[in-house]
Short mmCIF file of all heavy atoms in Angstrom, two decimals:
data_model
loop_
_atom_site.label_atom_id
_atom_site.label_comp_id
_atom_site.label_asym_id
_atom_site.label_seq_id
_atom_site.Cartn_x
_atom_site.Cartn_y
_atom_site.Cartn_z
N ALA W 1 162.93 53.75 101.30
CA ALA W 1 161.83 54.49 101.91
C ALA W 1 161.75 55.94 101.50
O ALA W 1 161.02 56.70 102.08
CB ALA W 1 161.93 54.42 103.47
N GLY W 2 162.53 56.34 100.45
CA GLY W 2 162.48 57.72 100.00
C GLY W 2 161.18 57.99 99.32
O GLY W 2 160.34 57.14 99.17
N PRO W 3 160.98 59.26 98.88
CA PRO W 3 161.99 60.30 98.85
C PRO W 3 162.27 60.86 100.25
O PRO W 3 161.50 60.73 101.16
CB PRO W 3 161.37 61.39 97.99
CG PRO W 3 159.92 61.16 98.04
CD PRO W 3 159.73 59.69 98.28
N TYR W 4 163.40 61.49 100.38
CA TYR W 4 163.84 62.02 101.66
C TYR W 4 163.77 63.58 101.57
O TYR W 4 163.89 64.19 100.47
CB TYR W 4 165.31 61.66 101.93
CG TYR W 4 165.54 60.14 101.90
CD1 TYR W 4 166.08 59.60 100.71
CD2 TYR W 4 165.17 59.32 102.91
CE1 TYR W 4 166.23 58.20 100.64
CE2 TYR W 4 165.29 57.95 102.86
CZ TYR W 4 165.88 57.36 101.71
OH TYR W 4 166.03 56.03 101.62
N TYR W 5 163.59 64.18 102.75
CA TYR W 5 163.39 65.64 102.74
C TYR W 5 164.20 66.27 103.95
O TYR W 5 164.43 65.63 104.92
CB TYR W 5 161.92 66.04 102.94
CG TYR W 5 161.03 65.48 101.85
CD1 TYR W 5 160.34 64.29 101.99
CD2 TYR W 5 160.95 66.20 100.65
CE1 TYR W 5 159.56 63.84 100.98
CE2 TYR W 5 160.12 65.74 99.60
CZ TYR W 5 159.40 64.57 99.78
OH TYR W 5 158.63 64.06 98.81
N SER W 6 164.50 67.56 103.74
CA SER W 6 165.16 68.33 104.80
C SER W 6 164.42 69.61 105.00
O SER W 6 163.70 70.13 104.13
CB SER W 6 166.64 68.58 104.47
OG SER W 6 167.36 67.38 104.44
N TRP W 7 164.63 70.20 106.21
CA TRP W 7 163.98 71.47 106.54
C TRP W 7 164.74 72.60 106.01
O TRP W 7 164.15 73.70 105.68
CB TRP W 7 163.79 71.59 108.04
CG TRP W 7 162.85 70.50 108.56
CD1 TRP W 7 163.16 69.33 109.14
CD2 TRP W 7 161.42 70.45 108.35
NE1 TRP W 7 162.06 68.59 109.40
CE2 TRP W 7 160.94 69.26 108.96
CE3 TRP W 7 160.50 71.38 107.81
CZ2 TRP W 7 159.62 68.93 109.00
CZ3 TRP W 7 159.19 71.03 107.88
CH2 TRP W 7 158.74 69.81 108.43
N PHE W 8 166.06 72.56 105.86
CA PHE W 8 166.94 73.61 105.35
C PHE W 8 167.88 73.06 104.31
O PHE W 8 168.26 71.96 104.39
CB PHE W 8 167.71 74.19 106.51
CG PHE W 8 166.93 74.78 107.62
CD1 PHE W 8 166.68 74.06 108.77
CD2 PHE W 8 166.32 76.05 107.45
CE1 PHE W 8 165.93 74.68 109.78
CE2 PHE W 8 165.56 76.61 108.45
CZ PHE W 8 165.32 75.94 109.60
N SER W 9 168.27 73.89 103.38
CA SER W 9 169.28 73.54 102.39
C SER W 9 170.64 73.51 103.03
O SER W 9 170.87 74.07 104.04
CB SER W 9 169.25 74.47 101.20
OG SER W 9 169.56 75.79 101.59
N VAL W 10 171.52 72.87 102.35
CA VAL W 10 172.90 72.76 102.88
C VAL W 10 173.60 74.12 102.90
O VAL W 10 174.28 74.45 103.84
CB VAL W 10 173.72 71.75 101.99
CG1 VAL W 10 175.19 71.75 102.49
CG2 VAL W 10 173.17 70.34 102.16
N SER W 11 173.34 74.91 101.85
CA SER W 11 174.03 76.17 101.73
C SER W 11 173.54 77.23 102.74
O SER W 11 174.30 78.12 103.18
CB SER W 11 173.90 76.73 100.31
OG SER W 11 172.56 77.11 100.06
N GLY W 12 172.23 77.18 103.03
CA GLY W 12 171.70 78.22 103.92
C GLY W 12 171.51 79.56 103.30
O GLY W 12 171.18 80.54 103.99
N ARG W 13 171.71 79.68 102.02
CA ARG W 13 171.52 80.95 101.33
C ARG W 13 170.11 81.45 101.32
O ARG W 13 169.91 82.67 101.27
CB ARG W 13 172.08 80.85 99.86
CG ARG W 13 173.52 80.62 99.72
CD ARG W 13 173.91 80.48 98.23
NE ARG W 13 175.27 80.07 98.17
CZ ARG W 13 175.86 79.66 97.07
NH1 ARG W 13 175.12 79.70 95.92
NH2 ARG W 13 177.09 79.21 97.09
N ARG W 14 169.21 80.55 101.36
CA ARG W 14 167.80 80.93 101.35
C ARG W 14 167.12 80.72 102.67
O ARG W 14 165.99 80.54 102.78
CB ARG W 14 167.05 80.05 100.31
CG ARG W 14 167.45 80.17 98.88
CD ARG W 14 166.52 79.41 97.98
NE ARG W 14 165.11 79.67 98.24
CZ ARG W 14 164.23 78.78 98.64
NH1 ARG W 14 164.58 77.59 98.93
NH2 ARG W 14 162.97 79.15 98.81
N ARG W 15 167.90 80.88 103.77
CA ARG W 15 167.37 80.54 105.06
C ARG W 15 166.09 81.27 105.42
O ARG W 15 165.18 80.63 105.94
CB ARG W 15 168.47 80.88 106.13
CG ARG W 15 168.27 80.40 107.51
CD ARG W 15 168.12 78.88 107.63
NE ARG W 15 169.03 78.08 106.91
CZ ARG W 15 170.04 77.37 107.34
NH1 ARG W 15 170.38 77.39 108.59
NH2 ARG W 15 170.80 76.67 106.52
N LYS W 16 165.92 82.55 105.10
CA LYS W 16 164.65 83.29 105.45
C LYS W 16 163.49 82.68 104.72
O LYS W 16 162.44 82.49 105.23
CB LYS W 16 164.79 84.73 105.22
CG LYS W 16 165.69 85.46 106.22
CD LYS W 16 165.68 86.99 105.93
CE LYS W 16 166.57 87.68 106.96
NZ LYS W 16 166.61 89.11 106.77
N GLU W 17 163.72 82.37 103.38
CA GLU W 17 162.68 81.77 102.63
C GLU W 17 162.30 80.41 103.12
O GLU W 17 161.19 79.99 103.15
CB GLU W 17 163.05 81.75 101.14
CG GLU W 17 163.17 83.09 100.47
CD GLU W 17 164.57 83.68 100.60
OE1 GLU W 17 165.44 83.11 101.26
OE2 GLU W 17 164.76 84.77 100.07
N GLU W 18 163.32 79.66 103.52
CA GLU W 18 163.10 78.30 104.00
C GLU W 18 162.32 78.35 105.31
O GLU W 18 161.41 77.55 105.54
CB GLU W 18 164.38 77.57 104.22
CG GLU W 18 165.10 77.23 102.88
CD GLU W 18 166.53 76.81 103.03
OE1 GLU W 18 167.06 76.84 104.12
OE2 GLU W 18 167.04 76.36 101.99
N ILE W 19 162.63 79.28 106.19
CA ILE W 19 161.86 79.42 107.43
C ILE W 19 160.42 79.82 107.14
O ILE W 19 159.53 79.23 107.74
CB ILE W 19 162.53 80.45 108.39
CG1 ILE W 19 163.87 79.90 108.90
CG2 ILE W 19 161.58 80.85 109.51
CD1 ILE W 19 164.73 80.90 109.60
N THR W 20 160.16 80.65 106.17
CA THR W 20 158.85 80.99 105.78
C THR W 20 158.10 79.74 105.22
O THR W 20 156.93 79.49 105.53
CB THR W 20 158.83 82.12 104.70
OG1 THR W 20 159.41 83.26 105.30
CG2 THR W 20 157.40 82.47 104.25
N ASP W 21 158.78 78.96 104.42
CA ASP W 21 158.22 77.75 103.89
C ASP W 21 157.81 76.77 105.02
O ASP W 21 156.69 76.14 105.01
CB ASP W 21 159.20 77.01 102.95
CG ASP W 21 159.40 77.69 101.64
OD1 ASP W 21 158.58 78.63 101.34
OD2 ASP W 21 160.37 77.38 100.96
N ILE W 22 158.68 76.63 106.04
CA ILE W 22 158.31 75.79 107.20
C ILE W 22 157.11 76.29 107.96
O ILE W 22 156.20 75.56 108.28
CB ILE W 22 159.57 75.66 108.14
CG1 ILE W 22 160.71 74.89 107.39
CG2 ILE W 22 159.24 74.96 109.41
CD1 ILE W 22 161.99 75.03 108.11
N GLN W 23 157.07 77.59 108.18
CA GLN W 23 155.95 78.13 108.85
C GLN W 23 154.68 77.93 108.07
O GLN W 23 153.60 77.63 108.62
CB GLN W 23 156.19 79.62 109.05
CG GLN W 23 157.25 80.01 110.04
CD GLN W 23 157.67 81.51 110.11
OE1 GLN W 23 157.50 82.21 109.08
NE2 GLN W 23 158.14 81.92 111.22
N ASP W 24 154.71 78.05 106.76
CA ASP W 24 153.58 77.77 105.95
C ASP W 24 153.10 76.29 106.02
O ASP W 24 151.94 76.07 106.08
CB ASP W 24 153.84 78.12 104.42
CG ASP W 24 154.05 79.63 104.24
OD1 ASP W 24 153.67 80.43 105.10
OD2 ASP W 24 154.56 80.03 103.12
N LEU W 25 154.08 75.36 106.03
CA LEU W 25 153.70 73.97 106.17
C LEU W 25 153.07 73.66 107.50
O LEU W 25 152.08 72.97 107.55
CB LEU W 25 154.99 73.11 106.02
CG LEU W 25 155.44 72.83 104.60
CD1 LEU W 25 156.79 72.13 104.68
CD2 LEU W 25 154.44 71.91 103.89
N VAL W 26 153.58 74.26 108.55
CA VAL W 26 153.01 74.02 109.88
C VAL W 26 151.64 74.64 109.94
O VAL W 26 150.68 73.99 110.48
CB VAL W 26 153.98 74.55 111.04
CG1 VAL W 26 153.30 74.59 112.34
CG2 VAL W 26 155.23 73.77 111.03
N ARG W 27 151.50 75.83 109.43
CA ARG W 27 150.18 76.53 109.39
C ARG W 27 149.18 75.70 108.64
O ARG W 27 148.00 75.49 109.05
CB ARG W 27 150.33 77.92 108.82
CG ARG W 27 149.12 78.81 109.03
CD ARG W 27 149.39 80.23 108.58
NE ARG W 27 150.47 80.84 109.40
CZ ARG W 27 151.63 81.24 108.82
NH1 ARG W 27 151.91 81.11 107.57
NH2 ARG W 27 152.54 81.79 109.64
N ALA W 28 149.58 75.12 107.45
CA ALA W 28 148.68 74.28 106.71
C ALA W 28 148.29 73.01 107.38
O ALA W 28 147.18 72.62 107.31
CB ALA W 28 149.34 73.95 105.32
#
């Protein structure tokens, strides 16, 4: 049933950018 997706990367190094990406997806 893939592809599979996650909201955050494992490392968390890009956490602020990832949160912005999530906000953009929800807004869209």
